[in-house]
């Protein structure tokens, strides 16, 4: 069955940790991780609650395949009501923490209430206890990880924790695990800080002993790994170049937004691309990219391990940043780079280190700085607000200075911690926020690529590529190529990607497998691991059920069809030049059809028949 | 006539010697088709996964066989890649 069938409930107000059985009826409908934890959240939390109040809950959840021998099966998610958006938030992370939680015998941990004082949760197999974290409060995520390891003297212990930005109220703080992996989006780390929970440390020795049909599972996971190895993308492209290989592709097709999405196309793209990361640099002959890295059980290994040129201004005289650390992934490189107009690879790598060290979402952070840069250039804010930094597009030194100021809680940090929506509203320029439902866009311009715009507009956690990565089809031709600027067929495409992703995110697998795997590769692995019927059809229906359940949470939280929209800039300001010149996003052509294919009403509501069909 | 070629990622090895990271201006026969140009640089069909002419996709097969290049065109080629 693969589930441990055990939940750890941690009441931070009372200081209690209790074990309870997993609701198997729900597990059969929502699988695990994103789906199952969202079901618990929907049942236990009032969607109108204050995300940073004690009534909100935070769930760390694994999927049934997490910790098994399936490729990439090390994932866990943090599910809560997000403070950046006010919508349901689910942030997925790799690394090793998720598998360790499973080895300790837990499917998920539900945190409720709020502790009086900073605490961390220590899980050692069946034993769980809250311990004082007063000596860790005010420390970075990296320091916290080190303190916990020094205290418990167990190198195999895995830590998920928050850095200083979360403590300082930054609304897009991440939960960092294994130092370089992040449940990054929507401010799940801020919720953790609001509960005075600094870290979760886990050590599990129980393994996974309850796979439903072990022989079938061995065979299905073996088949899956063979497919990943033989596929040119998952077998060669991702390990060699990482996600960053997209920088030149997306720029080449006219889909790379730049300078707060004021422009499309970034002249510095090649300097911050995967190819540039692999080039030996002049100072020490070493490339930015040291090696690739893998999360638990992953046979793809897309991770980037990088160093900054030790003579570069950003790390000169800072030996602690001159070693190997988590390098740039595509979305971070875009938000920190193209969106701020900075094409200094070392500066961006250093800022990325700081995002990991102090736990903030680099997409929202970069995009928020970009919005601030546009306001600075327009004279809306000045050095008075920015603590003396001339915050102009393309200025690497200014970007490094503002980031150091930000993580250390300097003058402009409270403003930057708001995210671009609240920041631009504060200064009377709301149209300069490139967000949906309050969350910033990732690295694909919806004017150049139509379907991703519909996905952004309808994503349940605000603008997000990982909710329905139609780029796979629209740009990369996976599984089939669709035309960038067509709107026909895009509602169906978006729905299919969104539902399939919801299922993958609920299984314990990494979404990057889907560059090679279809549901016919994934379903047999789930079916062999879990009791019940996990046919392709049931998996797809489960994904659709999860999507609709998330939408119902948001509806109850006050979201309506009015929130399924894109910023005016993307609907009205046409691309100025390049291969997509003249284009805007034509959301209006796609949204009604999308509601229809989802079985929703014309105003985006989920009618009774659809709820019944999906057992909601 | 002269066209610009851009080979990315693992295809950089097929670039003739030159200074720029990915780009070369090369001289080719007039009216050369896209397929022929790709072959001329020893790039196999499987490797030429994403092909753009002046930023616009040209699909594998007939489209590439029939696409005649003109002076000044920029041809960008990637192997199978993905990210996100
Ligand atoms: S593909 Fe990359 S992100 Fe996914 S599990 Fe593997 S290393 Fe981690």
């Amino acid at each position: 069955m693969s589930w441990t069938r055990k939940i750890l409930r941690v009441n931070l107000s009372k200081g209690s940790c209790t074990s309870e059985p997993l609701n198997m009826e729900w597990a059969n409908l929502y699988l695990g991780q994103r789906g199952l934890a969202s079901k618990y959240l929907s049942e236990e939390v009032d969607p109108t609650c204050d995300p940073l109040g004690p009534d909100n809950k935070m769930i760390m959840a694994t999927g049934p395949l997490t910790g098994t021998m399936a490729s990439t099966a090390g994932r866990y998610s943090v599910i809560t009501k997000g403070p950046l958006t006010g919508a349901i938030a689910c942030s997925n992370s790799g690394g090793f923490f998720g598998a360790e939680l499973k080895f300790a015998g837990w499917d998920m941990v539900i945190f409720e209430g709020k502790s009086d004082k900073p605490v961390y949760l220590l899980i050692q197999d069946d034993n769980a206890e809250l311990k004082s974290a007063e000596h860790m409060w005010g420390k970075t995520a990296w320091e916290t990880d080190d303190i916990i390891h020094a205290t418990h003297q167990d190198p195999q212990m895995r830590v998920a924790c928050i850095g200083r930005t979360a403590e300082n109220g930054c609304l897009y703080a991440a939960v960092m695990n294994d130092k370089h992996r992040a449940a990054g989006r929507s401010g799940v780390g801020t919720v953790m800080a609001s509960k005075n929970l600094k870290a979760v440390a886990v050590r599990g020795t129980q393994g996974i002993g309850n796979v439903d049909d072990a022989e079938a599972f061995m065979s299905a996971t073996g088949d899956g790994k063979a497919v990943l190895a033989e596929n040119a993308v998952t077998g060669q492209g991702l390990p060699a170049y990482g996600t960053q290989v997209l920088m030149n592709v997306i720029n080449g097709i006219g889909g790379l937004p730049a300078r707060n999405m004021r422009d499309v196309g970034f002249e510095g793209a090649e300097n911050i691309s995967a190819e540039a990361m692999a080039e030996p640099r002049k100072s020490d002959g070493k490339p930015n990219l040291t090696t690739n890295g893998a999360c638990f059980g992953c046979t793809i290994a897309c991770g980037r391990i990088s160093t900054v040129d030790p003579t570069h201004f950003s790390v000169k005289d800072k030996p602690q940043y001159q070693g190997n650390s988590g390098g740039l992934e595509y979305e971070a490189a875009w938000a920190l780079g193209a969106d701020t107009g900075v094409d200094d690879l070392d500066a961006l790598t250093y800022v990325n280190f700081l995002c990991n060290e102090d736990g903030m979402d680099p997409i929202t952070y970069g995009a928020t700085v970009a919005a601030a840069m546009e306001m600075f250039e327009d004279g809306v804010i000045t050095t008075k607000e920015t603590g003396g930094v001339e915050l102009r597009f393309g200025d690497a030194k200014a970007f490094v200075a503002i980031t150091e100021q930000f993580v250390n809680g300097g003058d402009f940090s409270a403003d930057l911690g708001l995210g671009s929506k609240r920041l631009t509203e504060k200064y009377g320029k709301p149209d300069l926020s490139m967000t949906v439902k309050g969350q910033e866009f990732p690295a694909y311009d919806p004017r150049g690529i139509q379907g991703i715009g519909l996905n952004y507009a309808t994503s349940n956690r605000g603008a997000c590529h990982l909710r329905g990565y139609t780029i796979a089809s629209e740009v990369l031709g996976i599984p089939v190529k669709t035309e960038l600027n067509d709107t026909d067929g895009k509602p169906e495409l978006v729905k299919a990607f969104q539902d399939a992703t919801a299922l993958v995110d609920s299984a314990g697998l990494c979404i990057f497998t889907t560059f090679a795997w279809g549901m016919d590769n994934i379903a047999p692995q789930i079916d062999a691991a879990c009791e019940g019927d996990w046919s392709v059809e049931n998996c797809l229906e489960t994904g659709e059920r999860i999507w609709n359940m998330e939408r119902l949470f948001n509806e109850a939280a006050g979201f309506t069809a009015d929130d399924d929209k894109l910023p005016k800039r993307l609907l009205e300001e046409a691309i100025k030049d390049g291969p997509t010149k003249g284009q805007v996003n034509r959301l209006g052509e796609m949204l009604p059809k999308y509601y229809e294919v989802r079985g929703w009403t014309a105003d985006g509501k989920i009618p009774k028949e659809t709820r019944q069909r999906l057992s909601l | 006539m002269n066209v610009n070629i851009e080979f990315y990622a693992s295809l950089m090895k097929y670039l003739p010697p030159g200074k720029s990271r990915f780009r070369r201006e090369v001289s080719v026969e007039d009216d050369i088709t896209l397929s022929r140009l790709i072959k001329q640089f020893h790039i196999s069909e499987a490797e030429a996964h994403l092909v753009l002419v002046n930023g616009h996709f040209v699909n594998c097969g007939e489209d590439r066989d029939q696409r005649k290049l003109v002076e000044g065109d920029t041809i960008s080629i990637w192997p199978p890649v993905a990210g996100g």
Side-chain angles (χ1 to χ4, degrees):
Chain A
M1 62 201 160
S2 260
W3 297 280
T4 68
R5 302 182 85 145
K6 261 170 59 199
I7 289 182
L8 178 61
R9 189 175 292 273
V10 179
N11 188 308
L12 291 154
S13 303
K14 295 187 197 149
S16 63
C17 300
T18 46
S19 169
E20 61 183 66
L22 185 72
N23 185 323
M24 286 309 293
E25 198 186 316
W26 291 352
N28 285 319
L29 284 169
Y30 298 94
L31 190 55
Q33 205 173 339
R34 172 175 164 187
L36 188 54
S38 297
K39 174 65 177 170
Y40 273 88
L41 192 82
S42 300
E43 294 289 336
E44 296 190 10
V45 165
D46 175 358
T48 63
C49 76
D50 172 5
L52 299 178
D55 293 339
N56 193 11
K57 299 191 185 188
M58 185 189 93
I59 306 177
M60 288 181 166
T62 65
L65 296 189
T66 305
T68 68
M69 62 190 288
S71 185
T72 78
R75 314 293 300 189
Y76 82 104
S77 293
V78 182
I79 294 93
T80 187
K81 177 173 172 174
L84 186 69
T85 56
I88 195 163
C90 169
S91 287
N92 182 308
S93 183
F96 296 84
F97 177 84
E100 200 69 26
L101 185 59
K102 198 74 175 289
F103 296 158
W106 304 100
D107 287 316
M108 59 172 91
V109 187
I110 302 179
F111 294 95
E112 49 194 33
K114 175 184 177 172
S115 173
D116 287 344
K117 292 188 174 145
V119 289
Y120 73 100
L121 176 68
L122 176 66
I123 303 173
Q124 289 171 304
D125 288 331
D126 297 334
N127 302 314
E129 57 177 321
L130 289 166
K131 298 178 83 76
S132 170
E134 281 179 89
H135 57 304
M136 298 174 198
W137 208 255
K139 303 284 187 204
T140 69
W142 290 357
E143 288 166 339
T144 303
D145 193 296
D146 287 342
I147 292 170
I148 289 176
H149 277 105
T151 306
H152 297 286
Q153 287 296 313
D154 185 346
Q156 306 253 58
M157 184 167 273
R158 302 295 177 181
V159 176
C161 63
I162 51 169
R164 294 177 298 173
T165 57
E167 294 176 15
N168 293 341
C170 161
L171 291 175
Y172 46 89
V175 176
M176 300 302 304
N177 60 278
D178 306 290
K179 285 193 170 172
H180 312 294
R181 289 279 161 183
R185 301 225 72 191
S186 315
V188 296
T190 321
V191 174
M192 188 160 162
S194 76
K195 302 195 167 302
N196 265 330
L197 178 66
K198 182 70 179 174
V200 179
V202 58
R203 179 73 174 100
T205 62
Q206 305 182 35
I208 309 284
N210 49 1
V211 166
D212 190 46
D213 181 341
E215 218 170 293
F217 189 64
M218 290 264 288
S219 146
T221 54
D223 291 350
K225 286 176 189 170
V227 171
L228 294 179
E230 281 156 23
N231 182 282
V233 170
T234 50
Q236 294 149 36
L238 278 172
Y241 291 97
T243 56
Q244 264 278 66
V245 75
L246 283 190
M247 188 65 72
N248 291 311
V249 177
I250 304 300
N251 198 41
I253 61 160
L256 191 76
R259 290 170 282 264
N260 200 33
M261 306 183 97
R262 204 175 63 181
D263 304 313
V264 174
F266 180 46
E267 62 290 347
E270 69 170 79
N271 299 330
I272 59 171
S273 65
E275 291 90 341
M277 284 172 74
E279 269 170 19
R281 55 195 169 217
K282 284 192 192 93
S283 69
D284 59 1
K286 291 182 185 156
N288 172 287
L289 177 72
T290 311
T291 183
N292 64 332
C295 302
F296 173 87
C298 176
T299 54
I300 302 174
C302 78
R304 301 293 92 183
I305 310 294
S306 286
T307 55
V308 178
D309 182 341
T311 64
H312 188 262
F313 78 86
S314 61
V315 301
K316 213 165 147 221
D317 308 321
K318 295 175 200 156
Q320 69 272 34
Y321 299 108
Q322 292 176 3
N324 286 322
S325 197
L328 290 166
E329 314 285 349
Y330 173 59
E331 311 298 337
W334 166 78
L336 301 175
D339 207 32
T340 64
V342 174
D343 70 349
D344 179 331
L345 184 62
D346 284 307
L348 301 185
T349 306
Y350 170 64
V351 170
N352 193 59
F353 288 177
L354 297 185
C355 287
N356 286 342
E357 183 180 26
D358 259 311
M360 68 260 198
D361 170 10
I363 301 180
T364 287
Y365 175 67
T368 301
V369 172
M373 284 172 162
E374 187 162 0
M375 289 199 296
F376 189 94
E377 294 206 341
D378 290 351
V380 178
I381 56 172
T382 66
T383 49
K384 214 169 107 237
E385 283 80 22
T386 64
V389 178
E390 293 272 339
L391 200 56
R392 293 186 191 286
F393 284 123
D395 187 335
K397 288 207 163 122
F399 188 35
V400 163
I402 205 79
T403 306
E404 288 179 338
Q405 194 205 101
F406 179 66
V407 295
N408 288 306
D411 290 353
F412 199 42
S413 63
D415 272 0
L416 282 180
L418 295 171
S420 70
K421 178 170 182 280
R422 291 170 178 85
L423 175 74
T424 55
E425 277 168 0
K426 177 173 172 180
Y427 291 101
K429 293 283 170 191
D431 287 347
L432 296 186
S433 170
M434 297 300 115
T435 50
V436 172
K437 300 181 178 74
Q439 179 160 282
E440 285 71 11
F441 290 95
Y444 314 90
D445 199 292
R447 288 168 288 194
I449 312 164
Q450 295 296 329
I452 198 71
L454 176 63
N455 170 63
Y456 288 153
T458 57
S459 158
N460 289 324
R461 70 167 186 183
C464 174
H465 59 299
L466 290 172
R467 282 296 171 271
Y469 193 64
T470 59
I471 299 302
S473 166
E474 296 181 282
V475 178
L476 307 168
I478 303 170
V480 285
K481 179 82 178 70
T482 49
E483 292 300 321
L484 294 175
N485 200 29
D486 275 1
T487 52
D488 278 357
K490 295 295 168 73
E492 293 84 351
L493 186 77
V494 168
K495 176 184 180 295
F497 270 86
Q498 289 176 337
D499 292 350
T501 304
L503 189 280
V504 174
D505 285 348
S506 303
L509 300 172
C510 176
I511 193 65
F512 289 169
T513 55
T514 58
F515 292 129
W517 288 351
M519 202 50 80
D520 51 339
N521 301 106
I522 294 169
Q525 300 185 55
I526 301 173
D527 195 49
C530 303
E531 65 198 31
D533 161 32
W534 294 100
S535 60
V536 169
E537 296 70 34
N538 192 36
C539 282
L540 290 173
E541 189 179 274
T542 302
E544 187 179 7
R545 179 179 304 120
I546 293 164
W547 189 268
N548 280 269
M549 172 184 55
E550 292 172 338
R551 174 95 175 175
L552 286 171
F553 183 97
N554 287 350
E555 211 176 280
F559 287 88
T560 67
D562 264 359
D563 299 295
D564 297 336
K565 64 180 182 201
L566 296 171
K568 219 159 82 185
R569 172 166 282 177
L570 307 181
L571 299 172
E572 294 177 10
E573 288 178 27
I575 294 176
K576 290 173 231 155
D577 41 37
T580 46
K581 184 177 173 179
Q583 287 179 208
V584 291
N585 187 270
R586 308 198 303 280
L587 182 64
E589 290 175 19
M590 299 181 281
L591 197 55
K593 181 75 184 168
Y594 172 83
Y595 288 161
E596 191 190 316
V597 297
R598 280 227 166 267
W600 298 349
T601 63
D603 59 353
K605 293 239 164 59
I606 306 177
K608 206 163 135 210
E609 312 83 76
T610 302
R611 290 205 305 267
Q612 274 171 352
R613 175 171 66 79
L614 296 169
S615 312
L616 281 163
Chain B
M1 66 178 188
N2 286 348
V3 296
N4 302 300
I5 52 168
E6 297 178 343
F7 300 161
Y8 292 92
S10 57
L11 304 186
M12 286 163 73
K13 62 177 183 254
Y14 297 117
L15 283 168
K19 278 220 173 84
S20 134
R21 196 176 268 135
F22 319 106
R23 212 158 290 132
R24 303 284 184 271
E25 190 178 322
V26 292
S27 170
V28 291
E29 72 202 63
D30 285 358
D31 285 344
I32 189 172
T33 65
L34 184 54
S35 295
R36 213 178 132 78
L37 176 121
I38 293 170
K39 262 198 212 103
Q40 202 164 303
F41 285 93
H42 311 290
I43 301 175
S44 70
E45 214 171 275
E47 283 176 311
H49 182 68
L50 300 179
V51 179
L52 309 179
V53 175
N54 304 326
H56 297 283
F57 281 105
V58 184
N59 294 329
C60 191
E62 259 181 47
D63 286 358
R64 288 183 199 167
D65 293 343
Q66 284 165 12
R67 177 64 183 259
K68 290 220 164 86
L69 298 173
V70 299
E71 172 84 29
D73 274 348
T74 297
I75 300 97
S76 318
I77 309 182
W78 283 267
V81 291

